[in-house]
Amino acid sequence: MVEQKPPTIRSRAITLIHEIPIARIKQFWDGLNEGKIYATKCKRCGKLYYPPQVDCFKCMTSDVEWIALSGEGVIETFTESHLKPQGFTHYEKPYIIAIVKTPEEAKVMGWLEDIDIDKVRVGLKVRITTTRKPDGYPAIVFKPST
Amino acid sequence: MRRVAIIGVGNSKFGRRDDALIQEIAFEAFREALEDAGITQKDIDLSVVGCVGTRVYEALPAVPVNEYLGLIGKGPIRVEAACATGSAAVFSAYNAIASGCVDTAIAIGVEKMLEVDTPTSTAMGGRGGSYLWEFHMFGTSFAGYYALFATAHMAKFGTTEEDLALVAVKNHKYGAMNPKAHFQREIKVEDVLKSRIIAYPLKLYDCCPISDGAAAVILASEDKVKEFRVEDPVWIEAIGFGSDTSNLTRRTDYVGLPAAVQAAQMAYKRARIEPKDVDVAEVHDCFTIAEIMAYEDLGFCKKGEGAKMIREGETYIGGRIPVNIDGGLKAKGHPLAATGCSMMYELTRQLRGEGGRRQAPLKHNIALAHNIGGHGFYAYVTILRR
């Protein structure tokens, strides 16, 4: 027996695109163009923030310095996403999302490329790079250390 | 703090509900809860509607829901705590009564998730993590987030994909016995392992479905319990809570949810019980790995031994502590805001002995609900006692 789909009416469409203010975190977004990942460090208490933030919730001051993370890390966990949310459906292949720990003890999320999912392991050493995808969006990309 | 009891519960059919509007689904759960409590709208002082929204055409769904249910004048708030919204609604209603502000309150969790397509629903979920630092660049989704936990848990503790599959098999077994469940079909380990990959190592049958549904919980003060002559009140002994970062990268590790541990310890302490006192539990198995981590975070077993519990069948009826014997999020379905209220629905009925073929044996008359928002942003652990 084929169930008949109940009747529906279509809603009015809405387009929702945000202009995200990056005035205070521009260094991070500029860094992506230069192949660098920036964190912030509180000048007063030394707390490292990644993702970067310009206000320190530990000592409640707003005096931070920008620190470029070293371009290497070790994979702590990973997944290969076959599920693509709206905004990512134009990426043809599944993408590998990984979290790596850097020597500065920052943890960075990125896409792992140039490796087959079967070869990826927790503990794998990677280089941290940046790229700009054909659609114009920047990305942090990990590649296996050679 | 005044004592607060659950005096009525209702639960709509969960599943793809193209047949009904959000308020019509809320009505199903609401009517059942009113009938269960034996009261009417005039006996309710406060309505707390939980709805994550964003996938339903209404932008502020609590307003039309309260109107449709005849709760005009009683609904000044809408609650959201991601997938823990239902528990947050119960928490709000509970506190309003415990504080003496009102004598009766209803928590209604309702969600329509299937009015938009799957990539849109997935995006609305994924954007509910850290949009700026995670979704924007990497297209994170909740299957992806829990997959990151699964990979780390497997690497650290030797948990296997077969272990994860065992959780799905158990929950489908009980879903098949629950007429309100989204999926009412038993599955085998091979079915899980052969299903398509969603986010490695999670496969289709490791993931809860995208569901529509509603559940409602009516709460009352001790005086009202007497006034209404409620014969079988279920008391809320304690509600523990916790919260954590939106950025998964800011966690220490990926093998458990610190917010859940915090909530559990708070709840046990406030209720003056230990994990071994719990007769039956509902845990937040949005993905199979989440149930294994829940066993550990709740102290049902030691950290890293969650897989052993499911391997040895300890969470089946007849095991040490039956878990998700209504099918869980995995098979019953996970209409986000409805889930926490639906956990109260199931546990209230279990404690009353109304579980039928799915009744858990009761020794201490204590039940526990573990409801998580996101990848551990929010956690509520609620202890019920009859």
Side-chain angles (χ1 to χ4, degrees), chain B residues 139-152:
Chain B
T140 39
S141 67
F142 273 83
Y145 277 126
Y146 277 90
L148 292 169
F149 284 103
T151 298

Side-chain angles (χ1 to χ4, degrees), chain A residues 5-8 11 16 18 20 22 25 28-29 32 49-53 57 76-89 95 97-99 107-111 117 122 137-141, chain B residues 16 18-19 57 117-120 122-124 127 130-145 147-152 155 197-202 247-254:
Chain A
K5 197 181 177 317
T8 54
S11 70
L16 203 58
H18 306 87
I20 302 173
I22 55 161
I25 51 172
F28 174 85
W29 301 95
L32 294 180
Y49 286 97
Y50 190 84
Q53 64 184 60
F57 63 67
E76 293 215 320
T77 190
F78 63 93
T79 179
E80 183 179 58
S81 185
H82 293 240
L83 184 66
K84 296 194 194 77
Q86 189 191 122
F88 292 82
T89 52
Y95 41 81
I97 300 170
I99 295 175
K107 300 217 232 184
V108 179
M109 184 178 281
W111 274 343
I117 184 71
V122 170
Y137 286 97
I140 296 168
V141 172
Chain B
R16 175 174 275 281
D18 294 336
D19 61 303
Y57 62 89
D117 61 21
T118 300
T120 304
T122 304
M124 285 303 181
R127 294 168 74 106
S130 165
Y131 173 86
L132 184 61
W133 302 110
E134 296 187 350
F135 182 91
H136 180 78
M137 274 186 283
F138 311 119
T140 39
S141 67
F142 273 83
Y145 277 126
L148 292 169
F149 284 103
T151 298
I197 294 175
I198 300 296
Y200 169 87
L202 300 181
N247 287 292
L248 189 65
T249 54
R250 284 188 172 176
R251 303 285 170 82
T252 309
D253 60 42
Y254 310 101

Side-chain angles (χ1 to χ4, degrees), chain B residues 232-243:
Chain B
D232 50 4
V234 167
W235 299 96
I236 296 181
E237 289 287 302
I239 302 179
F241 61 83
S243 75

Side-chain angles (χ1 to χ4, degrees), chain B residues 54-89:
Chain B
T54 69
R55 291 133 172 121
V56 65
Y57 62 89
E58 289 290 355
L60 299 176
V63 192
V65 164
N66 278 317
E67 175 187 331
Y68 195 84
L69 305 188
L71 290 171
I72 294 158
K74 298 168 189 281
I77 188 173
R78 174 238 186 135
V79 167
E80 179 278 312
C83 322
T85 293
S87 288

